[in-house]
């Protein structure tokens, strides 16, 4: 591990793989609906960051594994903090779709 490794964003490709390998996991896209329509990771659920605190639509219990992404990793970082405050216990920021090399759906 290098001295500046903390500056590297999360590796979204690895995060998507971990999501796929985790039973009962939810892949949460916290971008706007417009951004989601422009391209999203297959299997993801779109709940914009602005709506997250009032959302009852997270399709899992508070202990379900949540893998969160946005465009660059900034909103997903905020979402992870908010979800933890809301009582979700297994939340992981996997970064931004801008760095994703896999297939996207439109």
């Amino acid at each position: 591990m290098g001295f500046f490794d903390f500056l590297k964003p999360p590796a979204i490709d690895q995060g998507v793989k971990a999501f796929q390998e985790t039973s009962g996991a939810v892949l949460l896209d916290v971008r706007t609906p417009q951004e989601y329509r422009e391209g999203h990771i297959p299997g993801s659920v779109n709940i914009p960051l602005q709506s997250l605190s009032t959302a009852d639509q997270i399709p899992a219990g508070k202990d379900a594994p949540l893998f969160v992404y946005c465009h660059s990793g900034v909103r997903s970082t905020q979402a992870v903090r908010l979800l933890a405050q809301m009582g979700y216990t297994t939340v992981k920021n996997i970064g931004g779709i801008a760095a994703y090399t896999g297939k996207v759906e439109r």
Side-chain angles (χ1 to χ4, degrees), residues 82-98:
L82 180 58
L83 288 162
Q85 290 172 355
M86 292 168 64
Y88 289 88
T89 58
T90 311
V91 186
K92 181 168 177 61
N93 177 11
I94 62 169
I97 195 170

Side-chain angles (χ1 to χ4, degrees), residues 19-69:
F19 155 72
Q20 293 167 338
E21 296 171 348
T22 304
S23 177
V26 176
L27 182 59
L28 188 59
D29 182 326
V30 295
R31 299 175 302 151
T32 66
Q34 174 66 31
E35 289 174 301
Y36 187 78
R37 284 190 297 273
E38 291 171 2
H40 57 273
I41 299 170
S44 63
V45 175
N46 180 229
I47 303 176
L49 176 62
Q50 309 87 289
S51 306
L52 201 55
S53 63
T54 58
D56 293 330
Q57 63 225 66
I58 297 175
K62 300 254 182 185
D63 60 344
L66 301 178
F67 293 81
V68 185
Y69 75 93

